Amino acid sequence: MSKRPIEDLLSYLRRLRFRTKIAISIIVILLLFGIVLSLVIGRFVSKAMLEEKQAKAVSLSIMVASRAVEPILSYDFLSLKNLIDETVRLNRDVSYAFILDKQGEVLVHTFVDGFPSGLVEANVGRVKDAYKRQLIYTGTELIY
């Protein structure tokens, strides 16, 4: 192996035909453009997918809230529990679900080991907000 690899490469490139140098230049430019373009597009796509999942979560929350009105008003907590259990079971993107009353007390939840004590405070929104998304670390993963 030579001690001057850059000089060897330059001398090799000087010996190539002009047509070959143009072809190599075009290939290098296209490869660099493709790499940059794939990075930019990947960023846009991941952002769009995250926004789509968040919009789906808001829509699902509104749907569950509208279906929960009747069981809440009739104090039918079994139907309410079945509703959120079914929601979590049918939507693999949903990690947990819970419903609070006006006073912030938990009516039903889907946690096996009991309701996490800090979750109510982490999810408190302003009264005028239609909904609130909060990124929470569960100890094993980040979820909204």
Side-chain angles (χ1 to χ4, degrees):
M1 178 138 189
S2 174
K3 294 181 180 179
R4 309 173 319 208
I6 293 177
E7 291 176 12
D8 290 345
L9 178 64
L10 290 175
S11 71
Y12 174 74
L13 290 175
R14 276 189 226 117
R15 286 181 277 161
L16 293 176
R17 292 184 3 207
F18 182 72
R19 177 183 255 174
T20 308
K21 289 178 185 177
I22 294 293
I24 289 174
S25 299
I26 290 172
I27 290 170
V28 167
I29 289 170
L30 288 175
L31 284 174
L32 289 175
F33 182 71
I35 290 170
V36 169
L37 191 60
S38 68
L39 291 174
V40 170
I41 289 174
R43 193 147 182 94
F44 282 125
V45 167
S46 65
K47 183 179 177 186
M49 286 178 66
L50 179 62
E51 289 173 357
E52 179 67 28
K53 286 218 179 236
Q54 290 176 344
K56 179 183 173 187
V58 169
S59 174
L60 184 63
S61 298
I62 291 170
M63 185 270 307
V64 168
S66 67
R67 287 183 57 200
V69 170
E70 186 177 334
I72 290 172
L73 291 176
S74 63
Y75 296 101
D76 186 1
F77 295 111
L78 181 60
S79 294
L80 195 59
K81 176 70 171 146
N82 289 338
L83 170 67
I84 65 166
D85 285 344
E86 176 186 345
T87 301
V88 171
R89 185 175 46 82
L90 294 178
N91 298 286
R92 63 184 180 99
D93 293 333
V94 177
S95 299
Y96 65 88
F98 63 95
I99 297 178
L100 305 175
D101 63 8
K102 283 185 189 179
Q103 292 75 30
E105 297 296 320
V106 179
L107 297 176
V108 292
H109 63 82
T110 59
F111 295 99
V112 177
D113 298 329
F115 191 79
S117 59
L119 189 56
V120 173
E121 291 81 27
N123 252 6
V124 174
R126 298 182 307 226
V127 174
K128 64 181 179 177
D129 293 337
Y131 59 87
K132 178 183 179 207
R133 290 185 306 249
Q134 179 71 34
L135 188 62
I136 299 173
Y137 181 64
T138 65
T140 56
E141 63 182 337
L142 287 170
I143 57 174
Y144 279 96

